[in-house]
């Protein structure tokens, strides 16, 4: 396999077969599992018997005829959109707030980045404790209003998904902030000065100059937040476990539950559906966001 | 160059797939053959046994292990599998990871979930079987006429824990004798300004007891056999009726106002404080009460009675802390040692075990220690005459509790609860290859 002689000197320094170790790791840990994700979805693999037989599209038909999967898909999409909105709003807000390189701002940026490196489960459990009817948040509100407050923040079948999306966004907003900060730094001082000379105020400057020029950062942040939170599991599992009444049951929580029942093939089928959904969604979203970058 | 690259990729992919293989890693034929039962004190120096336990059962074996290690020289390690325990164990076993022994719910549905015929040692002629009280010997742990699990403590019973002081203060002297008098008692209490029932829909899992106790008579009449054969379903009048009744009782206002957000901890505190008069629960609820009050206070305040539509038949539901299974690990020596540990546990070590655990003895020759609370004795007395729960008798265990919790939260109607449960049950039964699905 070694390239001999004819290839240029660069080729001799970097023979292709040097790729094999990395490639092997990639194949074993990424390619094969992905392929198996496709294969097992068409079998009857379960904890109940040792044999694995081909089952055709049986898993798909039974999954789609059952309302739970459609509900979980809906919840997942709503959750992802909410996370994308909140995480970017928070991240951009923080970036603008701490844009100047002062000593205080640097320290505060670190503080807001800390949740990003925290364990998601720990974050979930902390918020679960804070948001309990007799938790700290109600205690604080009660202290200010002087009354007994016992709002079940995680108990509403309508609003809990918004609350958990905010928790998710809170955890990751530090990362978005960092990327927006980097984006703000790349904006040329000349452009800003020109705008100032033209008499642009702070708001016009942001709306017409800085935000459009942040397009690459927006692309990255929106795409990762949206597509990343479609794979969400840990925070929601720790705060609500999919409740109340299944209104925060993300697809991954549903997969976890199905896998726990011993229905491995069905769980695999669902994760394949999730994979396809993310893929299908990724192309138009990224394409649309890239289009915005044409102003650059 | 491009071709060469493609070749390399193809070779790498092919070899990786070949290495991984396409078989189920959980498949293991194990060793089949005549089973011997070593003497309880046979020397086991140099042998290490592993027991998997859950967070609430990992200290249960302590006294047994200490005695066994001293007697035989074996080493026994308890490995805690994090909650949710059952999912964790099933996943590990499916990938080929097995302990020597594990705590496991000894019901047919859960033994099926572990693929008992493939993975577990049969315990058919175990030496301790005759020591059991006769009515408990074959109550559970058996799948397709083969015994796979050893019952070590009295199985949980679904029934009503009540606050004796609240009953007395409202002039109730006798506990209800059937479903109608049970509801009458509740309505009388409500009229007197007391919350009759407490439910914990935020933690979900106890919601199913209300439906299951209503099915006790039907269960005695073979309900679950018919469900298992797909001759009757959750949407048919019997089970649907029980779900509808539960919903009607909630709508009637017989439950605590914070039913949607109340937790397991709230439930224990509420019953003990007399904020609610009755709680439909299982033994682990009493464990929760024991963490809040001492035996004397519990004897004074808390009582238990089983309930069923026509009388006081309990519904039993053994859980993971009640029983152990021994795995086929393929290592004959360790498999024999695991059987020996069980022999000791249910043999010479049993008295120490029930003393250390302050639990009710299952054996005729072993005394129940004096410090077992009265309510637990009542629970254990009801086991002999009780009928099996869905978990004990159905071939699969669908998430009925989850759908009922959804119903309480208002996102499912009673009819949708039955439909969702039935479709999940059918899915599980089909995966098991059950006839009729």
């Amino acid at each position: 396999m070694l390239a001999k002689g004819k290839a240029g000197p660069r080729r001799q320094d970097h023979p292709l077969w040097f790729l094999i170790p990395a490639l092997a790791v990639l194949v074993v840990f990424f390619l094969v599992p992905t392929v198996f994700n496709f294969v097992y979805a068409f079998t009857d693999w379960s904890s109940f018997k040792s044999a694995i037989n081909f089952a055709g599209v049986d898993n798909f038909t039974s999954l789609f005829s059952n309302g739970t999967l459609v509900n979980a898909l809906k919840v997942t999409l709503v959750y992802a959109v909410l996370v994308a909105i909140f995480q970017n709003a928070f991240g951009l807000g923080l970036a603008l707030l701490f844009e100047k390189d002062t000593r205080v701002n640097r320290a505060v940026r670190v503080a807001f980045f800390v949740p990003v490196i925290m364990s998601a489960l720990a974050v979930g459990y902390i918020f679960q404790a804070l948001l309990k009817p007799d938790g700290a948040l109600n205690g604080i509100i009660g202290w200010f209003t002087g009354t007994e407050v016992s709002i079940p923040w995680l108990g509403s079948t309508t609003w809990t998904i918004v609350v958990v999306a905010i928790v998710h966004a809170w955890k990751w907003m530090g990362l978005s902030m960092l990327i927006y900060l980097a984006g703000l730094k790349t904006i040329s001082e000349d452009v800003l000065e020109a705008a100032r000379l033209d008499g642009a105020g702070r708001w016009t400057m942001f709306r017409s100059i800085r935000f459009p020029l942040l397009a690459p950062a927006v692309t990255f942040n929106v795409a990762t937040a949206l597509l990343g939170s479609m794979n969400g599991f840990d925070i929601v599992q720790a705060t609500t476990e999919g409740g109340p009444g299944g209104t925060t049951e993300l697809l991954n929580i549903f997969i976890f539950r199905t896998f726990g029942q011993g229905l491995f093939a069905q769980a695999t089928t669902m994760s394949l559906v999730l994979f396809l959904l993310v893929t299908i969604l990724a192309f138009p979203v990224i394409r649309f966001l890239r289009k915005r970058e044409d102003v650059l | 160059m491009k071709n060469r690259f493609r070749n390399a990729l193809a070779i790498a992919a092919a070899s990786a797939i070949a290495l991984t293989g396409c078989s189920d890693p959980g498949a293991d034929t194990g060793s089949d053959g005549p089973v011997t039962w070593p003497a309880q004190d046979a020397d086991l120096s140099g042998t290490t046994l592993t027991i998997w336990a859950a967070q609430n059962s990992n200290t249960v074996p302590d006294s047994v292990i200490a005695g066994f290690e001293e007697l035989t020289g074996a080493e026994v390690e308890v490995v805690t599998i994090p909650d949710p325990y059952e999912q964790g164990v099933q996943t590990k076993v499916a990938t080929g990871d097995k302990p020597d022994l594990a705590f496991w719910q000894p019901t047919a549905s859960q033994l099926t979930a572990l693929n008992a015929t493939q993975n577990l040692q049969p315990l058919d002629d175990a030496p301790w079987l005759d020591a059991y009280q006769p009515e408990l010997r074959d109550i559970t742990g058996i799948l397709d006429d083969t015994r796979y699990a050893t019952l070590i403590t009295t199985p949980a019973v679904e029934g009503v824990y009540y606050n004796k002081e609240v009953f007395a203060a409202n002039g109730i002297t006798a506990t209800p004798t059937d479903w109608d008098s049970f509801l009458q008692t509740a309505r009388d209490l409500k009229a007197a300004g007391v919350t009759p029932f407490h439910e914990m829909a935020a933690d979900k899992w106890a919601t199913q007891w209300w439906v299951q106790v209503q099915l006790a008579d039907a269960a005695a009449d073979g309900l679950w056999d018919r469900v298992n054969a797909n001759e009757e379903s959750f949407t048919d009048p019997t089970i649907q009726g029980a779900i509808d009744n539960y919903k009607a009782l909630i709508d009637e206002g017989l439950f605590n106002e914070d039913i949607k957000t109340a937790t397991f901890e709230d439930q224990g505190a509420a019953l003990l404080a007399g904020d609610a008069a009755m709680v439909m629960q299982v033994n682990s609820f009493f464990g929760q009460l024991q963490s809040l009050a001492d035996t004397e206070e519990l004897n004074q305040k808390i009582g238990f009675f089983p309930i069923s539509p026509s009388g006081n038949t309990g519904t039993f539901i053994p859980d993971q802390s009640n029983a152990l299974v021994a795995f086929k690990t393929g290592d004959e020596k360790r498999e024999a040692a695991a059987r020996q540990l069980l022999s000791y546990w249910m043999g010479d070590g049993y008295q120490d075990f029930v003393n250390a655990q302050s639990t009710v003895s299952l054996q005729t020759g072993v005394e129940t220690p004096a410090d077992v609370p009265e309510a637990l004795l009542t629970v254990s007395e009801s086991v002999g005459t009780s009928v099996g729960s869905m978990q004990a008798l159905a071939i699969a265990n669908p998430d009925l509790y989850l759908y009922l919790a959804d119903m309480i939260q208002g996102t499912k109607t009673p009819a949708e609860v039955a439909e969702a449960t039935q479709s999940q049950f059918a899915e599980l039964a089909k995966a098991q290859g059950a006839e009729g699905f």
Side-chain angles (χ1 to χ4, degrees):
Chain A
M1 252 178 271
L2 185 59
K4 278 181 204 157
K6 280 176 202 162
R10 206 180 150 269
R11 272 282 170 235
Q12 274 166 355
D13 288 352
H14 306 83
L16 207 47
W17 62 269
F18 274 20
L19 269 178
I20 285 177
L23 205 62
V25 170
L26 194 75
V27 165
V28 171
F29 292 106
F30 293 94
L31 188 66
V32 171
T34 311
V35 169
F36 272 98
N37 199 1
F38 279 86
V39 173
Y40 280 133
F42 297 92
T43 66
D44 65 352
W45 183 32
S46 76
S47 71
F48 306 112
K49 48 184 186 276
S50 322
I52 299 175
N53 304 308
F54 183 71
V57 291
D58 217 30
N59 294 327
F60 291 89
T61 49
S62 71
L63 269 179
F64 279 101
S65 62
N66 177 340
T68 326
L69 178 76
V70 179
N71 180 54
L73 281 176
K74 237 188 303 183
V75 171
T76 310
L77 274 175
V78 171
Y79 181 74
V81 170
L82 286 173
V83 169
I85 293 171
F86 289 127
Q87 190 182 320
N88 283 285
F90 296 166
L92 185 58
L94 289 173
L96 292 169
L97 209 56
F98 304 118
E99 195 186 347
K100 289 213 175 66
D101 279 326
T102 63
R103 193 181 289 253
V104 175
N105 281 358
R106 274 175 219 214
V108 178
R109 281 182 211 157
V110 171
F112 279 103
F113 193 74
V114 168
V116 177
I117 52 173
M118 274 169 74
S119 143
L121 281 176
V123 168
Y125 287 117
I126 291 168
F127 271 95
Q128 191 217 25
L130 287 175
L131 299 173
K132 274 198 292 205
D134 57 349
L137 182 62
N138 283 334
I140 294 167
I141 298 175
W143 189 81
F144 278 113
T145 58
T147 49
E148 181 92 358
V149 179
S150 61
I151 305 168
W153 294 99
L154 298 173
S156 160
T157 49
T158 316
W159 296 107
T160 300
I161 189 159
V162 180
V163 176
V164 288
I166 289 175
V167 174
H168 190 129
W170 176 87
K171 188 197 181 308
W172 291 105
M173 67 186 179
L175 188 68
S176 301
M177 170 189 77
L178 213 64
I179 291 156
Y180 281 125
L181 276 173
L184 288 170
K185 297 247 179 268
T186 60
I187 298 173
S188 156
E189 201 44 50
D190 301 346
V191 178
L192 297 176
E193 203 180 331
R196 261 195 295 274
L197 288 175
D198 282 345
R202 277 175 87 92
W203 174 242
T204 318
M205 184 93 108
F206 174 72
R207 213 195 45 182
S208 314
I209 310 286
R210 300 215 291 171
F211 188 67
L213 289 175
L214 271 180
V218 173
T219 304
F220 181 84
N221 274 335
V222 171
T224 50
L226 189 74
L227 304 174
S229 58
M230 300 214 32
N231 278 313
F233 172 72
D234 31 28
I235 289 173
V236 183
Q237 178 69 15
T239 46
T240 66
E241 291 176 20
T247 50
T248 59
E249 189 169 78
L250 302 183
L251 195 57
N252 267 338
I253 292 182
F254 187 36
I255 291 172
F256 175 69
R257 194 154 64 81
T258 309
F259 198 86
Q261 285 273 2
L263 297 172
F264 302 149
Q266 278 85 342
T268 312
T269 311
M270 290 177 206
S271 83
L272 180 60
V273 170
L274 180 63
F275 173 83
L276 293 176
L277 183 72
V278 173
T279 315
I280 291 169
L281 213 75
F283 283 108
V285 166
I286 293 174
R287 190 164 166 185
F288 167 76
L289 291 167
R290 297 288 295 197
K291 200 109 192 123
R292 292 183 62 247
E293 294 176 23
D294 289 351
V295 294
L296 295 180
Chain B
M1 199 49 62
K2 236 186 178 161
N3 267 338
R4 214 169 266 146
F5 182 75
R6 207 173 286 153
N7 286 345
L9 187 81
I11 290 168
S15 55
I17 289 171
L19 276 174
T20 325
C22 292
S23 67
D24 180 356
D28 179 15
T29 43
S31 46
D32 281 317
V35 175
T36 56
W37 290 88
Q40 292 179 35
D41 58 355
D43 183 50
L44 287 175
S45 308
T47 308
T48 303
L49 291 175
T50 307
I51 303 178
W52 282 357
Q55 276 154 340
N56 70 353
S57 56
N58 58 7
T59 58
V60 172
D62 286 353
S63 68
V64 177
I65 290 175
F68 189 69
E69 286 183 336
E70 197 179 302
L71 190 68
T72 63
E75 215 174 291
V76 184
E77 267 178 49
V78 176
V79 176
T80 306
I81 308 293
D83 286 333
Y85 178 73
E86 279 77 10
Q87 272 100 317
V89 170
Q90 264 176 277
T91 312
K92 277 173 174 287
V93 170
T95 54
D97 190 5
K98 290 178 204 167
D100 297 296
L101 294 154
F103 281 88
W104 196 251
Q105 188 174 315
T107 57
S109 61
Q110 286 300 93
L111 290 171
T112 310
L114 262 194
N115 195 1
T117 41
Q118 283 288 328
N119 292 322
L120 300 181
Q121 296 192 44
L123 306 171
D124 280 325
D125 38 29
W128 63 82
L129 294 181
D130 291 331
Y132 276 127
Q133 287 164 27
E135 70 273 22
L136 298 179
R137 185 189 144 128
D138 297 329
I139 194 166
T140 189
I142 296 168
L143 176 69
D144 297 336
D145 297 325
T146 307
R147 183 186 303 270
Y148 290 107
T150 305
L151 198 63
I152 55 164
T153 49
T154 177
V157 176
E158 297 162 12
V160 183
Y161 289 86
Y162 68 100
N163 188 311
K164 291 180 188 171
E165 290 173 346
V166 173
F167 268 37
N170 290 281
I172 302 163
T173 48
T175 54
T177 51
D178 60 19
W179 191 256
D180 290 337
S181 62
F182 172 56
L183 293 187
Q184 193 53 53
T185 307
R187 287 176 183 134
D188 292 347
L189 283 167
K190 185 175 158 66
V194 178
T195 304
F197 303 129
H198 193 284
E199 186 60 283
M200 40 159 260
D203 278 343
K204 304 171 194 157
W205 52 267
T207 52
Q208 56 179 321
W209 313 145
W210 274 93
V211 171
Q212 296 214 27
V213 297
Q214 292 184 63
L215 298 173
D217 294 349
D221 188 40
L223 167 72
W224 297 112
D225 291 338
R226 296 192 295 277
V227 171
N228 290 343
N230 207 8
E231 288 160 6
E232 186 165 348
S233 93
F234 285 80
T235 52
D236 285 333
T238 309
I239 305 177
Q240 182 72 63
I243 298 170
D244 293 345
N245 280 343
Y246 181 33
K247 177 82 165 98
L249 294 177
I250 297 169
D251 292 344
E252 193 183 329
L254 295 176
F255 286 84
N256 47 314
E257 268 177 27
D258 61 350
I259 182 167
K260 291 185 184 180
T261 54
T263 62
F264 183 50
E265 282 79 18
D266 297 339
Q267 201 176 31
L271 186 68
L272 211 53
D275 294 341
M278 295 179 265
V279 166
M280 186 74 73
Q281 262 290 12
V282 291
N283 295 33
S284 58
F285 175 69
F286 198 76
Q288 171 68 16
L289 293 178
Q290 282 176 306
S291 71
L292 298 171
D294 57 20
T295 302
E296 200 187 338
E297 189 185 344
L298 291 175
N299 284 343
Q300 190 197 328
K301 280 189 180 170
I302 306 294
F304 173 86
F305 60 89
I307 196 80
S308 59
S310 63
N312 288 111
T313 307
T315 301
F316 78 86
I317 170 164
D319 71 25
Q320 148 274 124
S321 67
N322 293 133
L324 282 145
V325 292
F327 281 84
K328 282 181 192 162
T329 53
D331 179 339
E332 270 179 50
K333 227 178 94 194
R334 280 195 4 242
E335 286 180 10
R339 293 196 295 275
Q340 186 182 334
L341 174 56
L342 286 179
S343 294
Y344 172 77
W345 196 319
M346 299 308 292
D348 294 345
Y350 197 61
Q351 182 75 62
D352 277 351
F353 171 67
V354 293
N355 289 347
Q357 287 292 309
S358 294
T359 185
V360 182
S361 161
L362 303 177
Q363 299 189 353
T364 40
V366 173
E367 292 277 324
T368 297
D371 58 350
V372 174
E374 282 167 26
L376 269 194
L377 290 175
T378 325
V379 171
S380 136
E381 276 160 22
S382 71
V383 172
T385 57
S386 61
V387 295
S389 59
M390 173 178 80
Q391 282 80 356
L393 298 180
I395 48 173
N397 179 13
D399 294 327
L400 173 62
Y401 72 97
L402 198 61
Y403 306 129
L404 287 169
D406 288 355
M407 176 182 84
I408 294 173
Q409 299 291 354
T411 55
K412 275 196 171 64
T413 65
E416 285 166 349
V417 171
E419 276 164 29
T421 315
Q422 178 62 33
S423 89
Q424 196 188 12
F425 183 84
E427 190 81 36
L428 288 162
K430 195 176 122 195
Q432 292 171 15
E435 271 176 53
F437 287 92

